[in-house]
Amino acid sequence: MKELLYRIQFHDDQLAFKAFYQQQMFPLYQFAFAFLKQHQPAEEAVNDVFVKLWQRRHTLHEIDNIKVYLYVAVKHTALNQLRAATIFEEADLDNVQAPQVRFCAGAEQLLLTHELQDAIAAAIRQLPPKCRMIFKLIKEDGLSYKEVAGILNISPKTVDAQLMIALKKLSASLQPFLQHTTV
């Protein structure tokens, strides 16, 4: 990622920018969709952030953590879109629905049965919205507790507590399925 950012900033490399966009777009789109609940506005929010990033590409060195920067920018862009649509309600993480498009990748996914994948997806959908959002950002998008805390404007201890709640609920929800499949 650092090499792409270097090529973007110092060489105005559009191919590097396209590659960076393709790496980051999907998780950012899911994040925007959690706020906007519509595909096209979510896509527009992400694209707006990347347009601004390209316009400010010569100052990329000033950004400490590009991943967190992008999530925060998408969150603000999405909330601004909601405000502009005059249907804005105060952004309460308990009311934000994080989409769950995928849970596992790579070799792990090959080992899981279709039934287990369905059970996991159903268990995730049953999580409270705040737990689901934090679970997705940490476990699926690979962000750290501190990064998630910064993105959502909550303390890292709250992130930890919410993730523990999510994991306990997932474990309890999947326990009957796991007992049934191991017998």
Side-chain angles (χ1 to χ4, degrees), residues 3 17-18 20 24 26-27 38 42-44 52 55 60 69 80 85-86 91 103 112 145 150 174 180 183:
E3 181 185 337
F17 186 76
K18 182 178 179 181
F20 181 69
Q24 303 299 318
F26 186 70
Q38 294 181 19
E43 191 175 319
E44 288 174 9
K52 289 177 184 168
Q55 291 170 343
L60 286 176
Y69 173 86
N80 286 339
T86 65
F103 179 70
L112 291 175
Y145 287 35
L174 294 172
H180 175 19
V183 172

Side-chain angles (χ1 to χ4, degrees), residues 131-165:
C131 287
R132 186 171 44 245
M133 174 70 74
I134 290 169
F135 179 84
K136 183 197 171 314
L137 290 172
I138 291 174
K139 295 298 183 182
E140 293 182 17
D141 295 351
L143 297 173
S144 70
Y145 287 35
K146 186 177 178 182
E147 290 169 334
V148 171
I151 291 165
L152 300 178
N153 292 327
I154 56 178
S155 76
K157 288 186 185 254
T158 301
V159 171
D160 184 47
Q162 289 295 312
L163 186 61
M164 298 305 342
I165 290 168

Side-chain angles (χ1 to χ4, degrees), residues 82-151:
L82 289 172
R83 280 187 199 101
T86 65
I87 58 169
F88 179 76
E89 296 176 18
E90 196 61 35
D92 180 6
L93 288 178
D94 289 327
N95 296 322
V96 174
Q97 301 293 322
Q100 298 297 319
V101 177
R102 58 188 168 155
F103 179 70
C104 296
E108 287 177 306
Q109 190 169 20
L110 297 174
L111 297 175
L112 291 175
T113 66
H114 183 66
E115 292 172 354
L116 181 56
Q117 290 177 20
D118 290 345
I120 291 169
I124 291 170
R125 282 192 301 275
Q126 297 303 315
L127 291 173
K130 187 184 287 186
C131 287
R132 186 171 44 245
M133 174 70 74
I134 290 169
F135 179 84
K136 183 197 171 314
L137 290 172
I138 291 174
K139 295 298 183 182
E140 293 182 17
D141 295 351
L143 297 173
S144 70
Y145 287 35
K146 186 177 178 182
E147 290 169 334
V148 171
I151 291 165

Side-chain angles (χ1 to χ4, degrees), residues 15-86:
L15 290 176
F17 186 76
K18 182 178 179 181
F20 181 69
Y21 172 84
Q22 289 172 339
Q23 284 178 357
Q24 303 299 318
M25 190 278 298
F26 186 70
L28 292 170
Y29 163 80
Q30 288 183 301
F31 187 66
F33 187 83
F35 289 96
L36 298 169
K37 297 174 181 55
Q38 294 181 19
H39 297 289
Q40 186 173 353
E43 191 175 319
E44 288 174 9
V46 173
N47 287 336
D48 287 350
V49 168
F50 275 95
V51 166
K52 289 177 184 168
L53 188 70
W54 177 257
Q55 291 170 343
R56 299 178 183 151
R57 65 190 174 276
H58 298 292
T59 62
L60 286 176
H61 65 280
E62 296 173 5
I63 300 171
D64 291 330
N65 186 328
I66 190 71
K67 216 170 187 182
V68 170
Y69 173 86
L70 290 171
Y71 275 96
V72 171
V74 166
K75 179 179 95 172
H76 288 299
T77 302
L79 294 177
N80 286 339
Q81 283 183 3
L82 289 172
R83 280 187 199 101
T86 65

Side-chain angles (χ1 to χ4, degrees), residues 2-21:
K2 286 183 181 184
E3 181 185 337
L4 288 176
L5 292 173
Y6 179 85
R7 288 172 37 203
I8 293 166
Q9 181 176 357
F10 296 109
H11 299 291
D12 298 330
D13 188 335
Q14 291 180 3
L15 290 176
F17 186 76
K18 182 178 179 181
F20 181 69
Y21 172 84

